[in-house]
Amino acid sequence: MHRSLTRRLLAFYLATLMVIVALTCALAWLMMKRALYAAMDDGLQAELLAVASRLEIDEGRLAFEQAPGDAGEALSADAFVLILATHGGVVFSSPALAEDQSLIEAITPDAPAYTATCRTLRLFPDQRECRVASLRRVVRPDEDELDEDSAVRPIGAFVFVARPLAPLQATLRRLTSGLIAVSAAAMLLALAGGAFAVRRGLRPLQLVAADLGRVMPENPHLQVSATSVPIELQPVISTIDRLLGRIREELHRQRCLTADIAHDLRTPVAGMRTLLDVSLQRERSAMEYAAAMEQCRGALRRLSALLDDVMVLSRLDAGVDEVRLQRVPLDAIVEDAVATVQPMAAARGVALRCADCRGVELDSDRAKVTQILANLLSNAIEHGRDGKLVEVGFALTPDRVECAIVDQGPGIAAPLRARIFDRFVRGDATRSGEDGHHGLGLPIALGLARLLGGDIRLDETHFPGACFVVSLPLRSHATACTVGRARGHGAPSETAGARVRP
Amino acid sequence: MKLLLVEDDDLLGRSLAQGLRENGYALDWAREGPHAARLLRGSEYDGVILDWMLPGMDGLTLLRDYRLRGGKTPVLMLTARDATRDVVAGLDTGADDYLIKPFDFAELLARVRLLLRHAYAQPSSIIRVADLEVDLGQRSARRNGKPLDLTAREFALLELLALRVNHVVSRLEIWEKLYETEEDRSSNVVDVYISYLRRKIDRGNVPLIVTRRGEGYMLRGEPCTAP
């Protein structure tokens, strides 16, 4: 079963209410019981005192003067009276008690106190509960009798008045069932009211859900005013809003990227299409066709270079690029990278000069480091001045190697520096796609460097010309067995989110 | 008709230039913004095909400057930007038409013809002058229903005259618009081509091409008796 907030709230509410009602009822019942007992005890004690006041000494013996009229007033119909002399002997006993001597023993388990006390005893053969009031009293002879016979001495007496508890218990039972009925009705009412209140209370959730349902996937924006949302929901709303904000940013980035890719695809495609349209306008010589095909091939090469770069970036974005670590000498990597860009350097008359890095070995992915260096080198050759020098220098720290690629060109314009590692950012904003240059070389190099646990930075102090510094770990145990995620868009590499490769 | 093509992409520019020249247009090709601006200041064009993204100065700035200086030549923007706001920006800045890359070359030709017709206030691509019929789309002409065999340059000259029927076109303008700026040409080439055209159009018919001495040439709508 799904967890239901309504059911939970209702259960908590009802449980609390039940405890309160039960405690209230118990308290009411107990107070009622005490009041009833107190009333009964008051009655019993009054009767007891009335009986005791009628004790007198008659001819040296205790006598209970039972005036029919008085007794009828003083004693209720269901009361039993027992009067014992302290030295033994029953002075008076109600007829029901007199029948059974054991009752007398049961009613006098210990000597009563001089003040009236009440307790509950089980009496009679049916063991019915009775309230018994008891009193010890010393009965003195009357003044006139003292005159006549001074030998008469005061006599102690125990007086008991009992009354069955059944009527009181019946009242208590009625009270109990009444309380239970009222409680049940109250609980039912509370259930209905609680369900209504909970539903009303949770309605903002539905409203928020409806608002969320109206969020457009293409432009996720939450249309909720802060004041219309209850305080309890505001953390949820603001979290969702922040999440949507991040999604919007990512969407915008992806859209820009798609637009940039589409833009860069369009020009070569338009060129090829126009070339083919024009070529097919009329009959041409084989040489003209061959020239057209050659041009088409060149354009296709540029296109596939762009697609390759886009694929590399999307693999970096998706974090599916695998790092194949091996121990490689740095000079071999530099040699590979230089060989890759040599034709381009030769075409532009740029000389490449590399500092000596023999003996430096690093645990890294040879192909990726080569691509990083080749990208930076071709960048330097392209943006440096034709016929000048591109230099590669090295610096070693205990755990890293830094490799600086320096050209003698005009350098990076100040407004461009912050975005130089962004995708489709070019030194010359209007030139596109020439020589496979799409503004993807630097983001790819940065993404790869971060994947390998390194980084690339632009040395802004270097002037003139541009100086890019690649920093790579020499012995990267942290990334030695990981396939990291690296985002080439200015975000720090997320080694924490790396997956462990067996 | 003379066009200015402003396009920095080598392949697209070369293909467009070849295609447009093969369709009888004289063409100057600028690869950079500043060069295009210089050409626009120095020569008279019938139309401009302008790329948006250019090195040196982008197409929109170039167009804005040109319109601010009072340039009236129709401009066709050619660009890889397809967002509506870009189209609107281009048109509002003063472009007469907008074509998004990649495009069909035949469509580009049709749009260029449309631009030229609008510039010369011709509603149709078939212009009739008396019994002469000039089909700008097919690039063919007939007189009395008989097809005329014209070379590309002869047709270009006829097109120039037909688009401004009953108006004098100066020799200098013909000279400017028939040839590309960098092309070698002699000063009497206009008269030579006019005589070729007369031979093909007016021979055995009522002459339509009229010489205005000291002014230029004109294609006259009604039949005329004097040369």
Side-chain angles (χ1 to χ4, degrees):
Chain A
M1 200 162 85
H2 290 292
R3 303 176 98 186
S4 159
L5 213 54
T6 312
R7 277 201 294 273
R8 269 182 160 206
L9 284 174
L10 216 51
F12 277 126
Y13 164 71
L14 284 181
T16 313
L17 206 64
M18 214 180 264
V19 170
I20 292 171
V21 167
L23 283 176
T24 312
C25 287
L27 196 65
W29 189 85
L30 279 175
M31 285 170 72
M32 196 67 192
K33 185 184 170 189
R34 280 184 67 174
L36 284 172
Y37 269 86
M40 189 177 198
D41 289 354
D42 284 351
L44 276 175
Q45 281 170 11
E47 284 170 353
L48 190 67
L49 289 174
V51 168
S53 70
R54 284 202 206 103
L55 279 177
E56 56 183 17
I57 296 174
D58 188 15
E59 297 170 358
R61 292 178 59 191
L62 267 178
F64 179 53
E65 185 186 301
Q66 194 177 17
D70 287 352
E73 278 172 28
L75 287 177
S76 53
D78 56 349
F80 310 103
V81 179
L82 175 67
I83 303 166
L84 298 174
T86 42
H87 50 79
V90 176
V91 178
F92 175 80
S93 167
S94 291
L97 288 171
E99 285 167 17
D100 192 346
Q101 191 60 38
S102 65
L103 287 182
I104 295 173
E105 286 161 16
I107 215 169
T108 57
D110 42 11
Y114 283 99
T115 54
T117 52
C118 292
R119 59 209 156 110
T120 302
L121 291 174
R122 291 183 181 278
L123 298 179
F124 304 106
D126 58 359
Q127 290 287 302
R128 88 178 84 136
E129 278 188 314
C130 291
R131 194 69 178 163
V132 178
S134 54
L135 181 70
R136 183 172 185 165
R137 177 49 81 74
V138 177
V139 182
R140 295 174 197 284
D142 285 345
E143 293 297 321
D144 51 339
E145 281 185 34
L146 270 179
D147 289 341
E148 292 170 19
D149 184 2
S150 56
V152 179
R153 297 166 58 195
I155 301 171
F158 298 128
V159 184
F160 299 92
V161 175
R163 202 189 282 172
L165 268 173
L168 186 144
Q169 282 169 340
T171 307
L172 277 179
R173 270 197 300 278
R174 276 202 305 280
L175 178 66
T176 306
S177 50
L179 282 175
I180 287 175
V182 168
S183 307
M187 291 306 289
L188 278 177
L189 255 172
L191 179 67
F196 177 72
V198 167
R199 209 165 297 143
R200 276 297 287 269
L202 291 181
R203 188 180 286 170
L205 274 182
Q206 291 166 6
L207 295 179
V208 167
D211 282 334
L212 281 176
R214 278 195 289 275
V215 169
M216 293 288 148
E218 55 273 13
N219 181 25
H221 221 287
L222 198 54
Q223 304 282 347
V224 179
S225 65
T227 49
S228 72
V229 177
I231 279 177
E232 293 81 0
L233 278 181
Q234 270 170 11
V236 179
I237 293 297
S238 57
T239 307
I240 291 175
D241 209 31
R242 278 201 300 278
L243 178 68
L244 287 179
R246 290 221 302 279
I247 293 176
R248 274 199 305 279
E249 276 171 28
E250 186 60 27
L251 262 181
H252 178 70
R253 205 168 74 84
Q254 292 294 336
R255 276 188 194 134
C256 288
L257 191 63
T258 316
D260 283 338
I261 292 171
H263 180 269
D264 273 31
L265 285 176
R266 276 197 170 119
T267 299
V269 167
M272 279 193 286
R273 197 163 154 183
T274 307
L275 175 67
L276 293 174
D277 280 348
V278 170
S279 298
L280 293 173
Q281 260 184 356
R282 60 176 69 167
E283 282 284 313
R284 293 178 195 278
S285 70
M287 234 170 69
E288 280 178 297
Y289 283 130
M293 284 167 77
E294 186 59 47
Q295 285 178 330
C296 262
R297 187 167 67 174
L300 271 176
R301 271 203 200 110
R302 295 207 298 275
L303 270 182
S304 46
L306 168 63
L307 285 180
D308 286 347
D309 284 355
V310 170
M311 287 306 292
V312 170
L313 271 181
S314 71
R315 275 209 309 277
L316 281 172
D317 277 349
V320 294
D321 238 351
E322 290 201 352
V323 176
R324 292 188 180 79
L325 286 183
Q326 61 185 105
R327 176 152 298 189
V328 273
L330 184 59
D331 57 346
I333 296 179
V334 173
E335 214 169 278
D336 286 353
V338 167
T340 312
V341 299
Q342 194 63 59
M344 186 181 171
R348 292 180 179 254
V350 172
L352 295 170
R353 195 166 71 197
C354 296
D356 188 13
C357 60
R358 274 174 295 183
V360 180
E361 287 191 332
L362 66 164
D363 291 330
S364 207
D365 185 314
R366 181 172 185 157
K368 290 188 169 57
V369 179
T370 307
Q371 189 172 359
I372 294 170
L373 292 181
N375 280 12
L376 290 173
L377 279 173
S378 65
N379 224 44
I381 293 167
E382 186 159 357
H383 293 289
R385 205 152 285 154
D386 288 2
K388 288 282 186 151
L389 199 62
V390 169
E391 287 174 291
V392 185
F394 302 95
L396 274 173
T397 66
D399 58 343
R400 299 180 93 78
V401 58
E402 294 204 329
C403 173
I405 288 114
V406 186
D407 66 48
Q408 295 180 337
I412 313 278
L416 205 62
R417 281 180 196 156
R419 301 189 300 123
I420 193 67
F421 287 104
D422 287 359
R423 293 157 192 205
F424 290 99
V425 170
R426 305 179 183 97
D428 183 343
T430 52
R431 180 172 297 169
S432 70
E434 293 287 318
D435 305 321
H437 171 67
H438 295 281
L440 291 180
L442 281 180
I444 286 177
L446 182 67
L448 289 174
R450 286 183 172 167
L451 181 66
L452 297 175
D455 203 1
I456 303 181
R457 63 173 201 276
L458 174 68
D459 184 357
E460 296 194 23
T461 58
H462 192 274
F463 188 83
C467 173
F468 285 94
V469 181
V470 194
S471 160
L472 288 169
L474 281 173
R475 309 272 173 268
S476 59
H477 294 293
T479 57
C481 54
T482 58
V483 179
R485 275 175 56 84
R487 298 188 53 188
H489 210 73
S493 61
E494 298 165 20
T495 41
R499 286 185 284 123
V500 175
R501 198 157 62 97
Chain B
M1 295 287 112
K2 189 166 175 183
L3 302 176
L4 173 63
L5 170 65
V6 191
E7 169 63 63
D8 66 323
D9 184 72
D10 192 58
L11 176 65
L12 181 59
R14 203 182 312 180
S15 313
L16 277 176
Q18 184 190 358
L20 288 166
R21 280 177 185 137
E22 285 177 0
N23 276 278
Y25 293 102
L27 189 89
D28 287 346
W29 175 19
R31 292 162 192 258
E32 289 177 356
H35 183 207
R38 260 198 319 280
L39 285 174
L40 272 175
R41 271 195 294 273
S43 321
E44 189 73 26
Y45 293 98
D46 291 301
V48 181
I49 298 170
L50 181 61
D51 187 22
W52 187 310
M53 304 276 266
L54 293 168
M57 174 199 278
D58 72 89
L60 211 60
T61 313
L62 182 72
L63 179 58
R64 191 178 295 120
D65 290 356
Y66 177 63
R67 291 291 187 230
L68 276 178
R69 284 202 319 272
K72 295 209 165 45
T73 306
V75 172
L76 171 67
M77 282 292 269
L78 209 59
T79 168
R81 293 171 176 238
D82 66 341
T84 308
R85 62 170 187 281
D86 292 331
V87 178
V88 170
L91 292 178
D92 281 350
T93 307
D96 298 82
D97 203 353
Y98 202 97
L99 207 52
I100 290 159
K101 295 175 187 176
F103 48 82
D104 203 285
F105 185 64
E107 186 182 347
L108 175 93
L109 281 180
R111 284 179 188 265
V112 168
R113 284 198 296 274
L114 181 75
L115 279 188
L116 299 183
R117 279 207 326 266
H118 279 178
Y120 291 107
Q122 285 287 344
S124 159
S125 69
I126 297 173
I127 302 167
R128 289 196 178 80
V129 184
D131 52 359
L132 176 69
E133 190 182 287
V134 184
D135 188 336
L136 303 181
Q138 297 285 327
R139 303 201 72 75
S140 64
R142 301 157 165 267
R143 180 113 204 229
N144 283 327
K146 274 185 287 200
L148 303 171
D149 182 25
L150 301 177
T151 66
R153 200 148 274 176
E154 286 162 1
F155 185 85
L157 175 57
L158 178 61
E159 185 182 27
L160 206 57
L161 295 173
L163 278 170
R164 277 189 282 175
V165 65
N166 290 333
H167 285 87
V168 178
V169 185
S170 72
R171 288 178 74 246
L172 183 68
E173 190 182 338
I174 296 173
W175 192 67
E176 278 262 335
K177 290 195 172 166
L178 231 42
Y179 289 91
E180 296 176 6
T181 308
E182 328 256 288
E183 218 173 336
D184 283 334
R185 53 202 163 166
S186 52
S187 59
N188 69 338
V189 74
V190 176
D191 305 320
V192 173
Y193 272 103
I194 285 286
S195 70
Y196 289 162
L197 205 56
R198 274 201 169 121
R199 208 177 297 156
K200 289 184 180 173
I201 293 175
D202 289 346
R203 178 174 281 179
N205 292 308
V206 180
L208 293 176
I209 298 171
V210 180
T211 308
R212 285 286 173 84
R213 269 182 221 295
E215 289 182 65
Y217 300 96
M218 176 169 82
L219 195 66
R220 262 231 314 241
E222 64 275 1
C224 52
T225 47

